[in-house]
Amino acid sequence: MIVSGSNDKTVCIWDAVTGSLIRKLEGHNGTVRSVAFSHDSTMILSGSYDNTVCIWDAVTGSLIRKLEGHHENVQSLAFSHDSTMIVSGADDNTVCIWDTVTGSLIKKLEGHNGYVWSVAFSHDSTMIVSGSSDKTVCIWDAVTGSLIRKLELHDFVQSVAFSADGLHVSAHNHQGACYMWSIADLQVSKLLPVVLLSPPQQFSSHQAMSSSYILSIESNQIIHKTSNGQRTSLCYLPDLGSSISHHVQSGEKLAFGTEEGDIYIVVLHL
């Protein structure tokens, strides 16, 4: 299945094989900016410009609960890998951690001075990373809510992600540059990125990033960025809605939505 959100305030569930619409979910009063499946595919999250997060039953399409705690547009959200927690980022400059079962707000994290455009859990659900228009990346302790590290970039941070092996965290900024840091080095006083990928420069002597790759969207092209700085355009899609940065494996399927309302499924052979 594929889930999508739209300016028409709805969430759609699609059959990834046939492309047919399975169900349309209605419950938001504003643009649906972010959607996500739980890792067992039983629940769906949606975040909206109505300042709320909705939890849906992925099978029946019923609304399980609506989470209210942000005071501005919800830009990004994610389930923890055990699906017990939810993280959301919004234009009120905050990151919220929620209890999936009760819907209660566990913690509100304050450390950004701009819109929080992207959030993600580490694979073991012990850390959260957030990226903001204040040009910083914050790494948080998911249990205590304490700020582990703030990393400063040179432009708005549009997307953040942890690698699947939990060894690295990456960020993609508004200028098209990708940064990656080693989790093991977070306590180092002056932390420099392990890999910095930025056109048109190429880097050939940086540390490899294990078995995963960084994928980003730039100028409507899906760009494969290797750890030595090489950039390959995998394909071109019209009117892609936003920039992303995502750690991927070869053979993985990814879905992309466009501003025209179309959804594309891409199989990566890297």
Side-chain angles (χ1 to χ4, degrees), residues 109 122 126-130 137-151 162 182-188 191:
L109 312 181
S122 61
T126 61
M127 290 183 291
I128 290 168
V129 61
S130 57
V137 173
C138 286
I139 301 173
W140 311 85
D141 185 304
V143 177
T144 66
S146 60
L147 179 63
I148 299 173
R149 190 67 185 261
K150 178 178 281 192
L151 305 167
F162 283 97
S182 170
I183 296 296
D185 295 334
L186 288 181
Q187 302 305 323
V188 176
L191 181 61

Side-chain angles (χ1 to χ4, degrees), residues 21-34:
L21 177 64
I22 298 174
R23 193 169 281 107
K24 181 175 285 190
L25 313 180
E26 298 180 354
H28 284 295
N29 296 314
T31 294
V32 179
R33 184 65 178 87
S34 184

Side-chain angles (χ1 to χ4, degrees), residues 8-9 26-32 48-52 54 66:
D8 65 6
K9 308 176 186 179
E26 298 180 354
H28 284 295
N29 296 314
T31 294
V32 179
S48 171
Y49 282 7
D50 65 7
N51 308 343
T52 69
C54 285
K66 183 175 285 192

Side-chain angles (χ1 to χ4, degrees), residues 133-194:
S133 63
D134 66 5
K135 305 179 183 180
T136 68
V137 173
C138 286
I139 301 173
W140 311 85
D141 185 304
V143 177
T144 66
S146 60
L147 179 63
I148 299 173
R149 190 67 185 261
K150 178 178 281 192
L151 305 167
E152 296 184 1
L153 302 185
H154 303 293
D155 201 356
F156 302 154
V157 181
Q158 291 194 313
S159 186
V160 292
F162 283 97
S163 60
D165 57 16
L167 299 179
H168 300 92
V169 63
S170 66
H172 181 257
N173 73 11
H174 187 67
Q175 294 178 340
C178 277
Y179 299 79
M180 187 171 70
W181 298 268
S182 170
I183 296 296
D185 295 334
L186 288 181
Q187 302 305 323
V188 176
S189 58
K190 186 177 181 180
L191 181 61
L192 298 176
V194 177

Side-chain angles (χ1 to χ4, degrees), residues 84-120:
T84 61
M85 293 184 293
I86 294 164
V87 63
S88 58
D91 287 353
D92 59 9
N93 305 352
T94 68
V95 175
C96 286
I97 306 174
W98 311 84
D99 184 295
T100 304
V101 176
T102 65
S104 60
L105 178 61
I106 300 173
K107 283 184 176 63
K108 181 172 284 191
L109 312 181
E110 299 180 352
H112 285 295
N113 296 312
Y115 302 159
V116 180
W117 281 343
S118 184
V119 292

Side-chain angles (χ1 to χ4, degrees), residues 194-212:
V194 177
V195 179
L196 185 153
L197 305 174
S198 179
Q201 294 174 293
Q202 290 190 339
F203 301 82
S204 58
S205 60
H206 288 295
Q207 177 180 332
M209 56 175 294
S210 185
S211 59
S212 59

